[in-house]
Amino acid sequence: MKQKNKTITIDGIDKKILRALTNDARTPILEIARSIGISGAAIHQRLRKLEKSKLISGSKFIINHEALGFTTLAFVGIYLDKAANTDEVVRALKRIPEVLECHYTTGNYSLFIKLLSKDNSHLMRLLHEKIQTITGVQRTESLISLDQQIDRQVHI
């Protein structure tokens, strides 16, 4: 499990930098510097400080999964046998490329995963042939996302 990070304090300039890059991570540093009124070097120093504090961890491109033919997004609650080795189950889930996220949860499920499939048939094969066959998985419960209404980062 991840260790809890300590809370850090950021100032108004850090917030402006983070808002600009959260809005579009490809915004040129000099453009942000001009809009804030500080040097590009100062922006780079602040970004290094924010990375070192672990507030930010790089940037990434977002791939349009539908353009690759993955049209079914599902959330799957996984019930484990009492004797199941959770770490082994998570390792097995990591070997399934369609599994995008895996969370330890409170409540009924031991694990909750987010996965992409090409269609409902592909989802069924993933569940029956790959996930439910993992040693320790007792059963699964699936929810198919019909449409995502909100997708955002934490507000800064």
Side-chain angles (χ1 to χ4, degrees), residues 34-107:
R34 276 192 297 276
S35 71
I36 296 174
I38 62 174
S39 71
I43 300 271
H44 282 289
Q45 284 177 330
R46 285 174 175 268
L47 287 172
R48 277 195 300 279
K49 175 192 77 165
L50 294 171
E51 285 176 359
K52 188 175 179 184
S53 73
K54 304 217 177 174
L55 177 68
I56 59 173
S57 57
S59 60
K60 63 182 177 181
F61 285 98
I62 299 168
I63 295 172
N64 178 355
H65 56 86
E66 290 179 350
L68 294 173
F70 290 89
T71 59
T72 301
L73 174 69
F75 298 92
V76 180
I78 300 176
Y79 295 86
L80 299 180
D81 292 333
K82 289 185 191 224
N85 181 342
T86 308
D87 292 339
E88 286 295 321
V89 173
V90 171
R91 272 194 283 282
L93 289 168
K94 284 180 180 180
R95 291 191 290 269
I96 302 170
E98 293 89 349
V99 174
L100 303 179
E101 297 178 14
C102 178
H103 302 266
Y104 291 106
T105 62
T106 60

Side-chain angles (χ1 to χ4, degrees), residues 2 13 26 45 58 62 72 97 100 109 113 115 132:
K2 291 183 181 180
I13 292 173
R26 294 180 293 178
Q45 284 177 330
I62 299 168
T72 301
L100 303 179
Y109 311 121
I113 64 172
L115 64 84
Q132 293 171 345

Side-chain angles (χ1 to χ4, degrees), residues 74-155:
F75 298 92
V76 180
I78 300 176
Y79 295 86
L80 299 180
D81 292 333
K82 289 185 191 224
N85 181 342
T86 308
D87 292 339
E88 286 295 321
V89 173
V90 171
R91 272 194 283 282
L93 289 168
K94 284 180 180 180
R95 291 191 290 269
I96 302 170
E98 293 89 349
V99 174
L100 303 179
E101 297 178 14
C102 178
H103 302 266
Y104 291 106
T105 62
T106 60
N108 293 328
Y109 311 121
S110 301
L111 298 170
F112 196 70
I113 64 172
K114 176 180 176 181
L115 64 84
L116 273 174
S117 58
K118 293 188 180 267
D119 52 32
N120 288 351
S121 295
H122 182 209
L123 174 61
M124 188 172 77
R125 283 192 312 280
L126 286 170
L127 291 170
H128 290 279
E129 297 171 14
K130 295 199 175 183
I131 296 170
Q132 293 171 345
T133 59
I134 297 170
T135 302
V137 172
Q138 184 180 38
R139 66 186 176 97
T140 61
E141 189 174 305
S142 304
L143 303 164
I144 295 175
S145 172
L146 299 176
D147 189 35
Q148 183 175 354
Q149 297 296 304
I150 300 171
D151 181 15
R152 61 182 168 207
Q153 296 275 333
V154 64
H155 179 72

